[in-house]
Amino acid sequence: MGFWHTGYMEFHESTGLEKSFRPSKVWFSCQHCPSKFNTLDELRRHRFEAHPLARPMLFVRGIEVGATPFRVTRQLLASDIELGKATTASLNGEAVKLAELPMRLVQLSNDRVTVRLANDGAAASFELHVRIAREHDMAGVEAAFLAMARARILSIAAIEGFISECRPFQTADGYYDGICHYLYGVLAKERSSESGLLFDEYHQRYSRAADELKGFERPLAHIVRALVSFHFNHFDDAQMIAPTGRLQHAAVAFAGVLEGWPWHLERDAGDERSSALEDLLTDHETLRILRWAALGANELKACAADIAMQSKRGVPGYDRLKLVVMAAEALAARGDSAAARQTARELIGNLQTAAWAEALLARLVAEEYRE
């Protein structure tokens, strides 16, 4: 990883993680379409108006609970629970008045419950896994993580030592479990000689880490989730989760390019302000991509050959997409239209990159016409 494997930077945060994290704007996303909203009220209004269903619905903090278990890691308030299109309810098979259900859920701290909602025409069941993590336990997990990081060695033994240190923090077991899945995934992705996982297994570890950490509003959890989203080329999600800095800038840059915008002209002013925690968690390949993504077009063109060469090596397909896009933009900035055109055509049939490839080809034609 960027910190352990290369000694890229010193880590000076000794009193906690919050100083290394400046949260970006929070959006509320619809589970049924790509729409995003500024407030929960806007999301709820959209949900009821744009996606009307006869099936009863359960919302927790504005998020619609679906068929998979919903994890609750923070203390609920009655106002966090909203019911839709329901006339009757039960909790673990016990009939409950609709008005009383939110308060019953608020009282839970460590339980798995099934909520069943029904109306005259339909019924639905929802499973909630309630595991409220205490502040003391989450802080303990973070202290154990920092202690492991300061040793500058990412290994199976280091991760096992981290797990051992975290065992007393029982209410935050989901927190350190998610971190461990990510670290095991990094070892597999970087093809560590001591990793017991196959290379392709890192996908599952990354996905599980993001799922485990989804309910934790902590800097460490946010950055891991943002890095996972960025790796899987979910740039819109990454830019909403990531702290201000190099990772967020790269996510914004790739999201814009894939919509057809040209590569940014100037170097990211925040490149050197990347948080220590972010660098600590970034794997080697992603760290290289972030450094290139911070460059403006005039600087990027000098790296065209290196980026193209890296894209031809055994990097994951998700990383290769980012490298090929940057290589084509670098070649275009360098004036090598033929090579840029050939590179763009490699991805014109990809749904995610089609708009970018078509826009780049149009730019190249326009530039040739001006000449």
Side-chain angles (χ1 to χ4, degrees):
M1 297 177 72
F3 182 83
W4 284 297
H5 292 184
T6 66
Y8 175 65
M9 67 182 298
E10 294 294 332
F11 190 79
H12 298 296
E13 312 275 350
S14 60
T15 60
L17 302 176
E18 61 279 352
K19 292 182 181 179
S20 64
F21 178 69
R22 286 175 288 172
S24 51
K25 180 176 177 56
V26 175
W27 294 89
F28 299 92
S29 303
C30 177
Q31 287 193 328
H32 301 275
C33 71
S35 301
K36 296 181 176 68
F37 302 91
N38 291 308
T39 67
L40 286 176
D41 287 340
E42 291 177 358
L43 173 60
R44 289 175 183 134
R45 185 164 57 252
H46 163 82
R47 177 64 181 83
F48 285 108
E49 292 176 358
H51 307 289
L53 293 170
R55 181 178 177 271
M57 293 172 288
L58 173 64
F59 294 86
V60 177
R61 296 192 176 105
I63 300 174
E64 184 177 358
V65 181
T68 58
F70 186 89
R71 186 176 291 104
V72 179
T73 58
R74 290 180 290 139
Q75 186 64 52
L76 290 168
L77 302 174
S79 58
D80 293 332
I81 310 298
E82 184 176 2
L83 311 177
K85 302 184 184 298
T87 56
T88 62
S90 67
L91 184 62
N92 288 340
E94 175 191 350
V96 178
K97 294 181 179 179
L98 289 177
E100 296 177 358
L101 181 60
M103 287 307 302
R104 291 285 298 272
L105 294 176
V106 166
Q107 294 168 9
L108 301 173
S109 61
N110 182 16
D111 204 352
R112 296 190 178 195
V113 296
T114 299
V115 176
R116 180 175 174 80
L117 302 177
N119 56 34
D120 290 338
S125 294
F126 310 93
E127 187 174 354
L128 303 181
H129 291 184
V130 183
R131 181 73 164 168
I132 307 300
R134 293 197 297 265
E135 175 65 29
H136 172 270
D137 285 357
M138 289 188 289
V141 169
E142 290 161 357
F145 175 81
L146 294 181
M148 174 182 63
R150 289 191 183 97
R152 299 193 177 195
I153 299 173
L154 179 61
S155 63
I156 296 297
I159 298 173
E160 290 176 348
F162 169 65
I163 295 171
S164 179
E165 290 295 319
C166 289
R167 284 203 178 101
F169 311 121
Q170 295 180 4
T171 67
D173 55 357
Y175 191 21
Y176 68 78
D177 191 49
I179 295 169
C180 288
H181 280 298
Y182 176 73
L183 297 178
Y184 282 127
V186 169
L187 286 177
K189 182 174 184 280
E190 294 192 338
R191 296 180 171 88
S192 169
S193 59
E194 65 171 60
S195 174
L197 299 174
L198 298 175
F199 170 75
D200 289 340
E201 292 183 77
Y202 87 85
H203 300 109
Q204 181 181 0
R205 294 288 180 158
Y206 271 24
S207 297
R208 185 163 178 184
D211 183 58
E212 291 274 3
L213 296 173
K214 191 171 184 179
F216 293 95
E217 294 299 321
R218 310 289 288 193
L220 191 53
H222 276 255
I223 293 177
V224 169
R225 290 177 55 218
L227 284 167
V228 170
S229 292
F230 182 80
H231 172 70
F232 288 137
N233 298 331
H234 301 156
F235 301 119
D236 288 339
D237 292 338
Q239 65 179 296
M240 288 190 292
I241 303 169
T244 302
R246 182 163 48 194
L247 176 59
Q248 186 187 66
H249 172 83
V252 171
F254 278 109
V257 165
L258 292 183
E259 289 179 1
W261 293 95
W263 193 259
H264 51 281
L265 294 175
E266 303 296 330
R267 173 190 282 268
D268 172 30
D271 180 31
E272 301 305 323
R273 299 198 307 269
S274 179
S275 78
L277 182 59
E278 180 182 307
D279 284 314
L280 173 66
L281 287 160
T282 306
D283 70 81
H284 201 66
E285 191 63 51
T286 301
L287 190 60
R288 181 186 289 113
I289 290 171
L290 293 179
R291 289 171 176 167
W292 277 327
L295 301 178
N298 288 332
E299 293 176 294
L300 190 69
K301 65 184 180 183
C303 304
D306 290 338
I307 298 172
M309 182 180 299
Q310 187 63 25
S311 72
K312 292 178 172 62
R313 293 176 178 169
V315 297
Y318 297 101
D319 285 341
R320 184 176 182 276
L321 181 144
K322 292 184 276 284
L323 290 166
V324 170
V325 166
M326 285 194 295
E329 291 288 345
L331 290 166
R334 197 172 67 180
D336 192 343
S337 299
R341 185 177 292 109
Q342 179 180 352
T343 304
R345 284 173 176 164
E346 287 185 36
L347 295 180
I348 200 167
N350 184 312
L351 183 62
Q352 188 176 17
T353 54
W356 161 77
E358 291 172 1
L360 177 58
L361 292 172
R363 275 191 278 134
L364 293 173
V365 169
E367 289 170 8
E368 291 174 353
Y369 179 78
R370 282 196 296 270
E371 294 175 358

